[in-house]
Amino acid sequence: MKKLLDRPFKVFTIFSLVIFLMSIPVYFVVVDWIWRTELDDHNLTIRDRIANQLGQVEINQDDLESILQIWNSLQPTSFVIPLGDQKILRDSIYEITKFNEFEMESDRFRGLRSVIEINGEPFILHVETNLEEAYETLFAIGLVTFFLFLILVFGFIQLNKIISKKVWSPFYRTLDTLSAFDLSAGKEVSFEASDIEEFDRLQRTLSTLIASNVKTYSQQKTFIANASHELQTPIALLKSKLELLLQHQSLNEKESEMIQAIQIPLARLTRVNKNLLLLAKIENGKFEDLDQIDMGEMLDQSLELFEGYLEERELSFHKTYESTLKFEGSRFLVETLITNLFSNAIRHSPLGSEILVEGRQEMIVFKNSGKDPLDEAALFKRFAISTSETTSSGLGLAIVKEICKLSGWSIGYDFENNFHVFTLRF
Amino acid sequence: MKILIIEDERDLVKDMISYLSGEQYRTETAFDFASAMEKISLYDYDCILLDLMLPGGDGFTILEALRSKNKQDGVIIISAKNSLEDKIKGLTIGADDYLSKPFHHAELLARIHSVIRRKQFDPSNQLIQKDLVIDLLSKSVKIRNESLSLTKKELDLLLFFIGNKGRVLSKSALAEHLSGDFADMFDSHDFVYAHVKNLKRKLNEHDYGQYLKTIYGTGYKWQL
């Protein structure tokens, strides 16, 4: 994933690269043009000076020839030659490349050819000035441009960092607050105030949204808790009436069977209701009374109570846990956790298979035989059906998950070698 | 023997009285906090069944009032709140037992028996059913002076049957007596059959009468 600020950064960088690349020929043309005009001006000035000085002196014809000879050999950048038969009336400008013997390289010259008069005779005067090499100029400009570009990109990166740190910091804090938000915790979130309009709007919108969600969620929670609480008395009465009905001497076989048949769904109703109440209690509960819990002892105790059900399903039970498996926790929560996992294993094991409970430091593993892996995503959800069996309340593992969440433990599911494996980590 | 039922759900109170009717207990009722406080200050009871949530007050307050007057009435808390904290709090203040709703009447009766038995300080502490004698302290069972070796669960069941004599006990009531709240987690309680069968067999081996009867389709009944 890209960061928001990296996107304009990339575009800016590409744009400035294009501009810089384009600037190189433009600079070159401009610099070269300045060079040429300056040198042309310079050449004209020299011409004027030479013409002026040579025009003022009186030299006889013979001397003039030898002077011009010496001049021409000493002053290679300007030389005077007789006009002869040529007819040149106007000044002209030219460029010429000459080989420099001292530096062993070719030099570019800007030249001015002009006709001057010496002793009344017309002569051609060449004034030439060394012009910087084109490729050298180009290279220098390119180099400077490249460094400037580097500085610019470096600046962009630094500015990007500073901007994202300063300007975007309220946004990132909002993000952090949001990711830490837990609806089931029932706490509303408070964002840091921001003086930037967009962020302020975002935070206000989020606050409103979250507040209404928290409210709806807690209403729902209260509703479930109240509903299951209200169901308790009718369920208790149903159970009580059925038990009294069972005592009637006049019951015939059919009626007895009917009562028996009513008791099964009633038991399930009791179980679901009890679990809903338990969930509500765990969600609302503060379980701060921590005890030193001997896990091995607790497992043995629940084993004793489950014994009958193990026998009934002909399950063999194997335990491998250390006797020193002790840790701190709420007794009520740990007990609920263990019994839910235990009864889950018993209910879902095929007849005559085996259940293993392994305890190691900081973790307990419940294993029970099974044919196919369960749908892990649905496993810990409320009333999610992960098996075709209908005996479960659909809440047992949701309760386990909730307890783990509350206590900062973790529960995981795996399917290994035809075993359902539930791993509880403290 | 006097029992006071403090419970606001009148229908449930009616059912309890009906279930207890065969016993030698006289039952009185209090449907709210004020009348309960009045009754406990005026009379003594062998056993008080105490609901925690009452119109006008808290069951714990009644229990505290009772114990501060140094009254030794047996108290069984019956609460809809299945909470360990309440249980611990109740037992700490001085309740003798705690039963969470919904419960089987059979279970309640067994608990009442055991509370009253504990309060009576009967030195012999024996339960006699014709030829059968159960010593509650040493947990030994004898038929015509011949020892019977029963497992813990079988003895539990036997005491439960005797405590509920003349009443039909369903499989689920028996399972709940053996496994407590865990029984709630299962639909089938067929394992109870095996234990009852073994118990019957052991009783038969000593030529004990057929007092433990199977009621077809529903459960068992202890009938002398």
Side-chain angles (χ1 to χ4, degrees):
Chain A
M1 288 287 247
K2 279 180 197 147
K3 282 201 171 185
L4 180 67
L5 277 180
D6 287 346
R7 222 166 255 257
F9 167 70
K10 204 176 153 191
V11 176
F12 285 155
T13 311
I14 291 170
F15 177 71
S16 44
L17 181 65
V18 170
I19 294 294
F20 272 106
L21 285 179
M22 271 166 52
S23 76
I24 295 175
V26 171
Y27 276 132
F28 172 71
V29 169
V30 170
V31 167
D32 210 47
W33 178 79
I34 292 171
W35 262 112
R36 282 164 209 244
T37 32
E38 279 301 309
L39 289 184
D40 289 348
D41 277 353
H42 172 77
N43 285 351
L44 276 176
T45 316
I46 289 178
R47 196 263 334 246
D48 288 347
R49 210 170 60 215
I50 293 171
N52 191 23
Q53 284 172 356
L54 285 178
Q56 281 174 2
V57 288
E58 292 277 327
I59 312 164
N60 63 41
Q61 200 61 34
D62 294 341
D63 285 348
L64 183 68
E65 262 178 43
S66 61
I67 285 172
L68 284 180
Q69 217 169 356
I70 294 166
W71 172 289
N72 285 345
S73 62
L74 281 181
Q75 195 77 13
T77 55
S78 58
F79 52 95
V80 184
I81 48 172
L83 178 63
D85 295 335
Q86 296 175 67
K87 274 204 171 166
I88 298 166
L89 298 173
R90 294 174 58 201
D91 294 353
S92 69
I93 289 166
Y94 62 89
E95 244 172 61
I96 188 166
T97 308
K98 284 181 183 168
F99 191 74
N100 182 335
E101 286 168 11
F102 298 105
E103 290 182 27
M104 295 299 283
E105 62 175 20
S106 293
D107 281 337
R108 195 159 61 120
F109 287 88
R110 189 76 177 168
L112 171 71
R113 186 169 56 181
S114 187
V115 177
I116 55 167
E117 272 185 26
I118 306 170
N119 284 347
E121 292 273 326
F123 281 86
I124 300 170
L125 170 69
H126 286 262
V127 182
E128 289 171 355
T129 311
N130 193 347
L131 183 61
E132 193 57 44
E133 289 311 309
Y135 71 88
E136 279 174 2
T137 314
L138 208 58
F139 178 73
I141 290 175
L143 205 65
V144 170
T145 307
F146 177 69
F147 273 114
L148 283 179
F149 179 71
L150 280 188
I151 290 170
L152 195 73
V153 170
F154 179 73
F156 275 166
I157 294 172
Q158 291 306 313
L159 281 175
N160 219 13
K161 270 188 193 161
I162 293 168
I163 290 173
S164 71
K165 228 181 217 170
K166 273 203 172 157
V167 179
W168 287 88
S169 66
F171 179 76
Y172 287 122
R173 276 201 293 275
T174 305
L175 266 188
D176 289 342
T177 316
L178 276 185
S179 26
F181 174 67
D182 176 15
L183 185 59
S184 60
K187 267 185 257 162
E188 287 187 25
V189 292
S190 58
F191 297 107
E192 237 171 274
S194 167
D195 55 353
I196 292 169
E197 197 198 326
E198 286 91 337
F199 291 157
D200 190 51
R201 235 178 84 196
L202 175 74
Q203 292 178 348
R204 270 187 290 131
T205 315
L206 282 174
S207 292
T208 319
L209 190 71
I210 287 171
S212 77
N213 269 323
V214 167
K215 205 176 146 201
T216 313
Y217 185 79
S218 88
Q219 274 171 351
Q220 219 175 53
K221 233 165 60 172
T222 316
F223 172 77
I224 293 172
N226 286 344
S228 37
H229 198 81
E230 286 305 313
L231 280 173
Q232 263 188 314
T233 307
I235 289 174
L237 281 175
L238 268 176
K239 200 170 172 178
S240 150
K241 301 284 177 204
L242 267 182
E243 205 180 344
L244 288 181
L245 189 57
L246 208 59
Q247 307 306 326
H248 279 240
Q249 306 288 335
S250 57
L251 283 181
N252 65 31
E253 209 171 278
K254 255 202 171 137
E255 288 162 339
S256 300
E257 274 173 11
M258 193 72 93
I259 294 173
Q260 222 31 47
I262 294 171
Q263 266 173 343
I264 292 168
L266 181 61
R268 187 176 300 167
L269 181 64
T270 312
R271 180 162 64 226
V272 170
N273 200 55
K274 214 169 161 182
N275 281 343
L276 279 176
L277 277 170
L278 188 59
L279 260 179
K281 189 180 163 185
I282 292 167
E283 279 175 341
N284 295 324
K286 294 181 183 69
F287 297 90
E288 280 151 2
D289 51 327
L290 299 183
D291 280 326
Q292 191 70 26
I293 293 172
D294 187 329
M295 205 64 201
E297 198 186 301
M298 193 175 267
L299 280 166
D300 286 343
Q301 277 169 6
S302 22
L303 178 64
E304 199 176 310
L305 294 169
F306 277 125
E307 235 172 13
Y309 295 96
L310 283 170
E311 288 164 19
E312 183 179 324
R313 298 192 63 82
E314 295 161 26
L315 301 171
S316 55
F317 177 82
H318 307 282
K319 59 172 190 179
T320 50
Y321 40 81
E322 296 156 21
S323 55
T324 54
L325 205 62
K326 284 188 178 117
F327 68 100
E328 221 166 59
S330 153
R331 184 164 289 275
F332 171 74
L333 291 183
V334 178
E335 230 171 58
T336 311
L337 199 69
I338 296 298
T339 48
N340 271 297
L341 284 173
F342 218 141
S343 66
N344 198 56
I346 295 175
R347 267 204 311 267
H348 297 294
S349 291
L351 222 63
S353 60
E354 53 181 341
I355 292 178
L356 293 95
V357 176
E358 292 165 10
R360 284 190 286 272
Q361 213 53 45
E362 318 275 289
M363 83 197 265
I364 294 177
V365 185
F366 279 82
K367 290 183 182 176
N368 68 295
S369 316
K371 264 186 235 149
D372 303 305
L374 301 168
D375 178 10
E376 200 184 344
L379 205 53
F380 295 101
K381 283 196 185 131
R382 290 165 203 196
F383 299 118
I385 296 156
S386 52
T387 77
S388 54
E389 284 165 69
T390 52
T391 50
S392 69
S393 72
L395 286 170
L397 287 175
I399 289 173
V400 168
K401 182 90 186 170
E402 207 60 47
I403 292 177
C404 285
K405 205 171 107 186
L406 187 71
S407 315
W409 304 328
S410 78
I411 177 82
Y413 168 78
D414 279 307
F415 189 73
E416 284 171 6
N417 311 322
N418 285 331
F419 272 102
H420 298 298
V421 182
F422 288 89
T423 311
L424 187 64
R425 270 174 237 275
F426 300 106
Chain B
M1 297 275 175
K2 260 171 37 176
I3 293 178
L4 174 64
I5 305 174
I6 305 173
E7 159 74 62
D8 62 325
E9 193 59 47
R10 285 164 195 258
D11 235 3
L12 192 61
V13 174
K14 218 173 81 193
D15 289 353
M16 289 190 218
I17 294 172
S18 165
Y19 193 85
L20 295 175
S21 63
E23 302 295 316
Q24 307 293 314
Y25 299 137
R26 219 172 63 229
T27 46
E28 285 182 27
T29 51
F31 298 118
D32 55 43
F33 181 79
S35 60
M37 287 298 266
E38 195 190 325
K39 289 217 154 139
I40 61 152
S41 65
L42 291 177
Y43 312 108
D44 289 328
Y45 297 92
D46 295 289
C47 184
I48 296 173
L49 308 180
L50 178 62
D51 187 11
L52 287 181
M53 280 186 294
L54 291 165
D58 183 352
F60 285 127
T61 317
I62 298 174
L63 184 58
E64 274 161 0
L66 196 69
R67 292 304 180 224
S68 71
K69 285 182 187 125
N70 228 354
K71 289 197 169 196
Q72 294 308 310
D73 312 30
V75 175
I76 299 174
I77 292 175
I78 42 173
S79 169
K81 281 199 280 177
N82 178 25
S83 106
L84 190 72
E85 296 94 84
D86 277 0
K87 187 173 178 176
I88 291 170
K89 187 177 171 192
L91 296 179
T92 315
I93 298 176
D96 297 274
D97 210 342
Y98 183 101
L99 193 58
S100 59
K101 286 186 206 168
F103 49 78
H104 287 278
H105 289 299
E107 186 63 37
L108 179 65
L109 183 54
R111 306 268 183 118
I112 293 172
H113 284 320
S114 112
V115 165
I116 289 177
R117 221 183 284 130
R118 258 181 279 155
K119 298 281 169 190
Q120 275 175 339
F121 300 111
D122 179 0
S124 66
N125 237 326
Q126 280 184 340
L127 206 61
I128 300 165
Q129 299 283 302
K130 300 246 158 134
D131 297 336
L132 181 87
V133 179
I134 303 172
D135 188 313
L136 293 166
L137 285 178
S138 66
K139 310 250 178 216
S140 64
V141 186
K142 282 177 183 166
I143 293 178
R144 290 182 293 270
N145 256 337
E146 278 177 55
S147 255
L148 222 71
S149 78
L150 296 181
T151 64
K152 189 173 171 289
K153 285 205 165 72
E154 287 158 3
L155 179 64
D156 255 9
L157 282 176
L158 181 60
L159 287 172
F160 195 56
F161 282 128
I162 294 169
N164 281 284
K165 61 171 169 283
R167 294 171 182 85
V168 178
L169 299 181
S170 65
K171 254 190 301 174
S172 66
L174 296 173
E176 208 164 299
H177 184 67
L178 291 181
S179 293
D181 287 344
F182 293 92
D184 273 355
M185 294 176 166
F186 300 90
D187 277 337
S188 154
H189 309 291
D190 289 340
F191 76 92
V192 171
Y193 284 146
H195 290 292
V196 177
K197 218 172 81 189
N198 287 338
L199 177 62
K200 273 184 148 183
R201 181 176 50 77
K202 287 180 184 175
L203 292 173
N204 283 339
E205 278 169 6
H206 289 81
D207 275 333
Y208 189 60
Q210 298 291 326
Y211 305 122
L212 180 51
K213 297 182 171 69
T214 305
I215 313 294
Y216 182 79
T218 44
Y220 304 92
K221 187 156 125 182
W222 185 265
Q223 190 99 58
L224 285 184

